[in-house]
């Protein structure tokens, strides 16, 4: 199904006018085409339906005016549905409307009188109605956002009418309950599901009742219903996972894991149980090994029965697992204060130790009037790479840093502007998204690190530029380093250009780029088990070095590097313990101050569960 035709887009009124003109000239084919286009833009407009009635009368109800096919136009599908209903074939018409809703759930395809009329529900076989409601449930989130519920409400009216006409049909009651639950009608969902179970006890009925109770906050009743469902069918392991998830939501992790272990004893590779088990074990002890094992399972089982969100849910809002960590240090603190004061520089910033060059340059560009005084350069000198490198990105004149590389191409800048974001579902998803940078030249990728382009003129870009430009710079650096992971992937890892460059960046001048490069290496370890030992060794060495330096002078990137270490597959216990020590037990996600927390909530909203 498609939403477009070959002709340029017109308004609904224009399409309708052309449809009427063609109809008056007897050109029914063009009349039907323009009517279908008007229907897409205004599916409930009375004038559209009046014109459709005229076309039907002129053609004798010719359905071929609105053909179906592999790439059927959605307007034609909906028009055909209305013609079928008018011809007394409402069940077939309803099937087409449901298909249109599945294609574009946000459109009010069903908001027409014949769908909500009680007579339709009376004529339809209740089992067919139940199946239709289940199809709708498959495309509606649970719960649906309030703003998205309107186009689906006609189907709830159909459910009400059907239940009134067939009050003891168990399958219908359960499916109606599932739809009511999604639309926020929780009390009605419980009522219908309860009636369905009383009419005909079954596993599916108990599952629907359990979900309804859970949405109503009646956890004990929900668990009882789900356990009865297990009694009906002890081999349906998905219900075990549902019980475990419900228990975990109430903090009963040990009981939840008992249920998961029972499911895994039946089938160690059952996808729902595996996903839930790894998520709950990570929730219990915070060991990233559980999430890495889950990512491996997802990679090795691409044909799972349905999509799971456990990995993304576990990584969400966690430093480096699901988002860039905000920069730390006196310079970015001064930047945030100045922006909060509408750009007024305020008092001078006095630095007892030189901060990362990316921080110094970002703040200087964002708040030109800020007076920065560097009182000294402590040892070890932060202007020097931590190890010898051929990839020198900065040169210093006293305490002022300047890039050594030219500005990247405009094409490279635009490519990263389109991709860069401070949040991602999980590291493998970030790796996959960065493939869009695979064709960039190495010089461009490196140039982006020290010459980040301006934030794009999007909602995200405006928020970042106005409230914390440091986040945008860090986004560019992170995605440029992820792009390096896709550079010359035909080269064996150990001797590859991508590994050599990233490792040199990790050991270069102490900077935000250090974090970005280390994240790219950690991401490589997530997606390629063969490189895990190598990456874990690099991470452990770099973490040990930063801990040594932090004993004698401030290291603004230390806590972030520690969080990166905790996200590293296969990190040895000593390095893990050191990472916990450097983070000081901070989560990196929930301890941010109010203004920055609100900003972060806005930026990461697209990656939260609907």
């Amino acid at each position: 199904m498609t939403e477009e035709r070959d002709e340029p887009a017109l308004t609904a009124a224009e399409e309708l006018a052309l449809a009427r003109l063609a109809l008056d000239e007897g050109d029914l084919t063009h009349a039907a085409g323009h009517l279908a286009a008007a229907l897409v833009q205004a599916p409930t407009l009375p004038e559209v339906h009046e014109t459709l009635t005229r076309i039907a009368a002129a053609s004798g109800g010719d359905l071929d005016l609105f053909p179906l096919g592999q790439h059927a136009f959605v307007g034609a599908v909906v028009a055909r549905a209305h013609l079928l209903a008018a011809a007394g074939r409402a069940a077939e018409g309803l099937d087409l409307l449901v298909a249109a809703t599945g294609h574009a759930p946000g459109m009010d395809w069903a908001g027409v009188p014949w769908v909500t009329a009680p007579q339709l529900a009376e004529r339809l076989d209740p089992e067919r109605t139940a199946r239709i409601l289940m199809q709708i449930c498959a495309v509606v989130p649970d719960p649906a956002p309030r703003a998205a519920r309107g186009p689906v409400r006609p189907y709830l009216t159909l459910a009400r009418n059907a239940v009134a006409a067939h009050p003891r049909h168990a399958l219908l009651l359960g499916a109606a309950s599932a739809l009511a639950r999604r639309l926020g009608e929780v009390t009605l969902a419980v009522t219908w599901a309860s009636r369905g179970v009383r009419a005909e006890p079954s596993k599916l009925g108990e599952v629907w009742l359990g979900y309804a109770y859970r949405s109503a906050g009646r956890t004990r009743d929900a668990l009882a219903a789900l356990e009865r469902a297990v009694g009906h069918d002890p081999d349906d392991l998905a219900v075990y996972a549902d019980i475990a998830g419900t228990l975990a939501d109430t903090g009963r992790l040990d009981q939840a894991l008992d249920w998961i272990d029972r499911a895994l004893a039946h089938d160690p590779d059952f996808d729902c149980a595996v996903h839930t088990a790894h998520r709950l074990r990570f929730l219990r002890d915070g060991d990233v090994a559980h999430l890495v094992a889950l990512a491996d399972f997802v990679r090795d089982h691409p044909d799972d029965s349905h999509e799971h969100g456990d990995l993304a849910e576990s990584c969400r809002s966690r430093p480096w697992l699901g988002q860039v960590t905000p920069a730390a240090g006196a310079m970015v603190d001064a930047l945030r204060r100045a922006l909060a004061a509408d750009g007024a520089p305020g008092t001078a910033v006095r630095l007892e130790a030189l901060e990362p060059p990316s921080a110094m340059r970002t703040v200087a560009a964002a708040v030109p009037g800020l007076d920065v005084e560097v009182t000294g350069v402590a040892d070890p000198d932060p202007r020097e790479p931590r190890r010898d490198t051929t990839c020198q990105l900065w040169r210093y004149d006293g305490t002022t840093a300047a890039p050594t590389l030219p500005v990247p191409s405009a094409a490279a800048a635009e490519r990263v502007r389109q991709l860069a974001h401070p949040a991602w579902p999980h590291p493998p998803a970030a790796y996959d998204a960065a493939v869009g940078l695979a064709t960039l030249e190495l010089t461009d990728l490196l140039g982006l690190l020290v010459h980040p382009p301006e934030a794009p003129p999007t909602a995200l870009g405006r928020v970042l530029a106005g409230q914390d430009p440091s986040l945008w710079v860090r986004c560019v650096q992170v995605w440029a380093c992820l792009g390096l992971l896709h550079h010359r992937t035909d080269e064996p890892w150990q001797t590859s250009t991508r590994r050599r460059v990233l490792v040199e960046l990790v050991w270069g001048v102490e900077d935000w780029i250090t974090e970005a490069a280390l994240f790219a290496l950690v991401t490589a370890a997530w997606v390629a088990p063969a490189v895990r030992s190598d990456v874990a060794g690099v991470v452990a060495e770099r973490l040990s070095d930063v801990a040594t330096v932090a004993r004698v002078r401030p290291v603004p990137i230390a806590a972030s590097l520690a969080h990166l270490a905790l996200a590293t597959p296969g990190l040895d216990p000593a390095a893990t313990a050191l990472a916990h020590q450097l983070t000081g037990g901070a989560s990196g996600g929930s301890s941010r101050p109010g203004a920055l927390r609100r900003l972060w909530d806005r930026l990461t909203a697209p990656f939260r569960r609907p």
Side-chain angles (χ1 to χ4, degrees):
M1 201 178 295
T2 178
E3 297 178 13
E4 298 180 356
R5 299 186 306 157
D6 294 334
E7 294 85 355
L10 301 175
T11 66
E14 290 169 334
E15 295 283 10
L16 198 55
L18 291 173
R20 288 168 174 164
L21 180 62
L23 180 60
D24 291 340
E25 295 176 349
D27 188 348
L28 297 182
T29 299
H30 279 93
H34 289 296
L35 184 283
L39 195 55
V40 167
Q41 298 186 60
T44 62
L45 187 68
E47 290 86 347
V48 173
H49 289 271
E50 290 169 5
T51 305
L52 177 59
T53 300
R54 289 181 58 197
I55 293 173
S59 67
D62 185 3
L63 294 174
D64 290 337
L65 288 172
F66 303 100
L68 301 180
Q70 186 175 3
H71 301 290
F73 177 49
V74 66
V77 171
V78 175
R80 188 183 182 100
H82 294 317
L83 289 186
L84 285 168
R89 298 162 62 183
E92 296 174 63
L94 193 57
D95 286 339
L96 293 182
L97 283 190
V98 170
T101 297
H103 174 72
M107 294 297 294
D108 192 8
W109 306 117
V112 290
W114 69 266
V115 173
T116 55
Q119 294 85 349
L120 174 63
E122 293 168 1
R123 291 196 303 269
L124 285 177
D125 177 76
E127 183 145 340
R128 185 165 189 172
T129 305
R131 301 294 176 189
I132 286 170
L133 297 179
M134 285 190 275
Q135 285 179 265
I136 297 299
C137 288
V139 299
V140 177
D142 183 11
R146 289 185 180 275
R149 293 175 184 177
V152 189
R153 287 203 174 276
Y155 295 109
L156 183 60
T157 301
L158 172 65
R160 291 179 188 273
N161 294 336
V163 168
H166 308 281
R168 293 185 56 79
H169 195 281
L171 187 65
L172 173 63
L173 286 161
S177 170
L179 182 58
R181 185 179 76 245
R182 284 165 168 78
L183 297 183
E185 301 283 352
V186 176
T187 301
L188 184 60
V190 170
T191 298
W192 280 346
S194 299
R195 285 171 55 185
V197 167
R198 287 197 301 269
E200 184 181 330
S202 68
K203 177 196 72 175
L204 189 55
E206 294 288 7
V207 168
W208 275 323
L209 179 59
Y211 288 171
Y213 278 140
R214 191 167 63 185
S215 294
R218 297 169 60 176
T219 304
R220 181 179 298 177
D221 292 330
L223 290 168
L226 292 173
E227 290 184 24
R228 290 194 298 271
V230 171
H232 283 286
D233 184 2
D235 294 325
D236 187 347
L237 303 183
V239 182
Y240 291 59
D242 286 334
I243 293 172
T246 303
L247 287 165
D249 288 343
T250 60
R252 296 150 73 179
L253 280 177
D254 289 339
Q255 294 179 56
L257 285 166
D258 284 343
W259 276 94
I260 284 300
D261 288 339
R262 288 171 60 183
L264 292 174
H266 278 75
D267 181 358
D269 290 327
F270 179 64
D271 56 342
C272 290
V274 171
H275 282 256
T276 303
H278 288 306
R279 176 173 62 85
L280 297 186
R281 287 170 183 153
F282 175 73
L283 189 61
R284 180 182 60 184
D285 60 29
D287 189 345
V288 76
H290 302 305
L291 301 187
V292 175
L294 178 52
D296 290 346
F297 181 86
V298 172
R299 184 187 60 251
D300 296 338
H301 297 78
D303 299 323
D304 279 352
S305 60
H306 61 274
E307 185 178 351
H308 296 82
D310 297 85
L311 183 57
E313 181 179 341
S314 298
C315 291
R316 185 179 298 113
S317 299
R318 295 184 182 272
W320 295 116
L321 292 175
Q323 64 183 45
V324 178
T325 62
M331 286 300 291
V332 291
D333 287 344
L335 169 63
R336 291 164 188 151
R337 287 194 302 270
L339 293 174
D342 296 324
T347 58
V349 179
R350 186 172 185 272
L351 298 179
E352 295 181 359
L354 187 62
E355 294 210 338
S358 290
M360 302 292 288
R361 287 177 59 82
T362 298
V363 177
V367 191
L370 189 66
D371 184 15
V372 180
E373 179 188 3
V374 182
T375 61
V377 178
D379 288 329
D381 192 334
R383 298 169 298 184
E384 297 295 330
R386 296 303 300 149
R387 288 186 179 175
D388 290 338
T389 175
T390 62
C391 194
Q392 187 77 284
L393 302 185
W394 303 105
R395 61 173 177 270
Y396 276 89
D397 180 7
T399 59
T400 302
T404 63
L405 299 177
V407 174
S409 68
E414 184 57 31
R415 190 84 59 85
V416 83
R417 276 155 56 96
Q418 293 172 1
L419 283 178
H421 196 283
W424 45 82
H426 43 72
Y431 175 83
D432 290 342
V435 73
L437 303 171
T439 58
L440 296 187
E441 297 293 334
L442 179 60
T443 52
D444 275 339
L445 290 168
L446 293 174
L448 289 168
L449 296 174
V450 292
H451 297 287
E454 291 185 0
T458 60
L460 169 66
R462 287 190 292 272
V463 169
L464 289 172
Q467 298 191 37
D468 193 346
S470 69
L471 284 175
W472 171 247
V473 173
R474 289 168 70 77
C475 287
V476 172
Q477 292 171 336
V478 163
W479 286 89
C481 286
L482 288 172
L484 285 168
L485 281 183
H486 293 277
H487 182 71
R488 297 184 184 175
T489 52
D490 57 317
E491 296 178 347
W493 170 257
Q494 201 62 36
T495 57
S496 66
T497 303
R498 61 192 186 282
R499 180 192 182 277
R500 175 184 59 79
V501 171
L502 286 169
V503 170
E504 288 199 8
L505 293 176
V506 164
W507 288 103
V509 169
E510 187 179 287
D511 190 45
W512 295 348
I513 295 169
T514 310
E515 302 167 67
L518 202 63
F519 173 66
L521 289 173
V522 170
T523 300
W526 273 72
V527 300
V531 311
R532 285 177 184 167
S533 176
D534 174 54
V535 170
V538 173
V539 172
E541 282 189 82
R542 190 64 184 89
L543 188 69
S544 176
D545 181 78
V546 82
T548 300
V549 175
R551 294 189 187 102
V552 295
R553 66 164 171 81
V555 182
I557 66 172
S560 179
L561 291 186
H563 283 299
L564 276 163
L566 295 176
T568 303
L571 193 69
D572 68 70
T576 300
L578 178 58
H580 281 296
Q581 179 183 336
L582 288 173
T583 63
S587 68
S590 61
S591 60
R592 290 186 291 276
L596 187 54
R597 177 67 193 186
R598 289 191 294 274
L599 168 61
W600 207 252
D601 287 343
R602 291 178 63 185
L603 297 179
T604 59
F607 299 95
R608 299 190 202 119
R609 176 185 290 177

